[in-house]
Amino acid sequence: MKKLNKSITIAFIKPFFYTFSIVIFILLMQFLWKYIDDLVGKGLESIDIFKLLFYASARLVPLALPISILLSSPIL
């Protein structure tokens, strides 16, 4: 790999993971706000809620990926 491509890739990876985690967190909180009234008072264990959030995050990855790529792209 050429040095320029390698340096651009390294400069892109760190901000990409930061923005991806932030976008996933925001989308999960939006999901949680939407369905909080269905979850409260049902007697669910915390592991069930974490499973629900894990499955929801798997569904939200296709939404978060393009947003995080656009936000983390370096301005050259």
Side-chain angles (χ1 to χ4, degrees):
M1 185 184 291
K2 295 182 181 181
K3 288 185 179 183
L4 183 61
N5 290 341
K6 188 175 181 180
S7 66
I8 289 174
T9 304
I10 290 172
F12 176 73
I13 293 297
K14 191 173 180 181
F16 171 73
F17 284 120
Y18 286 143
T19 56
F20 184 74
S21 62
I22 291 169
V23 169
I24 282 289
F25 177 75
I26 290 171
L27 290 173
L28 277 175
M29 289 303 107
Q30 181 183 7
F31 173 81
L32 200 59
W33 264 128
K34 188 175 181 181
Y35 294 110
I36 194 71
D37 54 343
D38 295 335
L39 299 174
V40 173
K42 301 290 187 208
L44 295 174
E45 296 180 11
S46 61
I47 192 71
D48 294 331
I49 294 173
F50 287 129
K51 282 182 187 178
L52 177 68
L53 289 177
F54 176 73
Y55 294 140
S57 67
R59 189 188 67 152
L60 294 173
V61 165
L63 292 174
L65 196 62
I67 296 170
S68 60
I69 288 173
L70 286 173
L71 291 176
S72 66
S73 63
I75 299 172
L76 299 176

